Amino acid sequence: MMSSEFFTTWFLPGIWVTVQVTVYAAALGAAISFGIGLARGSRYWIVRFLAGTYFEVFRGMSALVLMFWMFFALPLFGWQLVPMWAGVSALGLTYGAYGSEIVRGSLAAVTPAQKEAGIALNFTRWQRLRLIELPQAWPEMVPPFNNLLIELLKGTALVSVITVADMTFAGSLLRLGTNETTPVYSLLLVLYFVLAFLITRGMRLLERRAKAGIGQLPEKSGGTTTRKLGARGESLQAGSQSAGGMG
């Protein structure tokens, strides 16, 4: 049977390690997602080519094999990564490639009228991106990022194979010590579900705030949403109308 000593010695630290790996890999993946996603929409073909190459290469790689390569093969080139950072790097690079497609697709979905409004207001490319395109695209990014983050959480179980003491590694030790497979892995299923549920609740709150920031608020009754334009929305709408009039 699982003792309280084992739980406090291995399982609780294992949960904390899982949370750390998820947070660090998510931070790396987010940076890559936005960097590569924005680069894929660049006006320069070489930037688009390099970003597209990264996307295709890392999307087609196995995160587990990449993790093994970074942990066992990199030392042959003079780079030695501790197990945790090998796992974080492999997960962040892989899931960042998936996230870049979310960023690219969400930005491409912004209506041309919004972009034309920024041009009519004489905004620079960076100003249009920061003030118009990203605020409009961000609410559309949150739901798929939520799914990707949950997949990343479940993917952290892979780090146990390179001796990172996450909660899957702790569960494997407990199973070997007690030969109780069903209770151990049932507990792991519950723990992963709880962490995924907390992520989902947090991302839904973030989604509501993101939509409220651009004037999209859910109705009190019914499943549809209403669109209310705030000061920024009114200015963008005015700019869009002026752009249409100029055309």
Side-chain angles (χ1 to χ4, degrees), residues 55-79:
F55 169 71
E56 294 295 343
V57 169
F58 282 91
R59 184 182 63 167
M61 282 187 178
S62 164
L64 179 60
V65 175
L66 180 60
M67 197 177 299
F68 279 142
W69 188 88
M70 299 187 76
F71 185 61
F72 294 109
L74 270 183
L76 300 178
F77 299 94
W79 288 10

Side-chain angles (χ1 to χ4, degrees), residues 13-38:
I15 294 172
W16 174 235
V17 170
T18 296
V19 171
Q20 284 183 297
V21 173
T22 303
V23 171
Y24 295 149
L28 175 60
I32 292 173
S33 295
F34 280 92
I36 299 299
L38 293 175

Side-chain angles (χ1 to χ4, degrees), residues 82-236:
V82 297
M84 181 173 182
W85 291 113
V88 167
S89 299
L91 292 172
L93 291 170
T94 303
Y95 285 90
Y98 300 141
S100 69
E101 180 66 9
I102 296 174
V103 174
R104 186 203 63 80
S106 298
L107 288 173
V110 176
T111 58
Q114 296 286 344
K115 301 175 183 179
E116 292 168 2
I119 297 174
L121 294 172
N122 201 28
F123 285 175
T124 64
R125 178 69 184 94
W126 169 245
Q127 287 176 321
R128 295 198 304 272
L129 183 66
R130 181 172 60 89
L131 298 175
I132 299 177
E133 297 177 32
L134 279 177
Q136 296 288 324
W138 174 239
E140 305 302 322
M141 297 181 194
V142 177
F145 268 133
N146 179 30
N147 294 333
L148 192 61
L149 188 54
I150 291 175
E151 288 297 322
L152 173 59
L153 168 67
K154 294 185 289 186
T156 59
L158 297 175
V159 301
S160 62
V161 300
I162 55 173
T163 69
V164 177
D166 70 327
M167 60 187 187
T168 300
F169 185 82
S172 299
L173 289 181
L174 180 59
R175 186 188 67 83
L176 291 174
T178 62
N179 290 323
E180 295 182 356
T181 302
T182 301
V184 169
Y185 287 113
S186 296
L187 176 60
L188 283 174
L189 287 175
V190 171
L191 290 174
Y192 277 108
F193 168 77
V194 170
L195 291 176
F197 179 78
L198 293 175
I199 289 174
T200 299
R201 299 307 299 176
M203 293 296 282
R204 285 181 179 174
L205 177 61
L206 182 61
E207 181 183 5
R208 287 197 297 269
R209 291 188 174 182
K211 288 185 175 181
I214 61 171
Q216 293 183 1
L217 300 176
E219 291 182 347
K220 294 183 178 180
S221 61
T224 59
T225 58
T226 58
R227 192 176 190 88
K228 299 179 181 179
L229 292 176
R232 176 182 294 178
E234 291 174 354
S235 66
L236 294 179

Side-chain angles (χ1 to χ4, degrees), residues 2-17 165-166 169-170 173:
M2 184 189 306
S3 65
S4 59
E5 179 181 358
F6 186 93
F7 190 84
T8 56
T9 303
W10 286 98
F11 248 113
L12 286 181
I15 294 172
W16 174 235
V17 170
D166 70 327
F169 185 82
L173 289 181

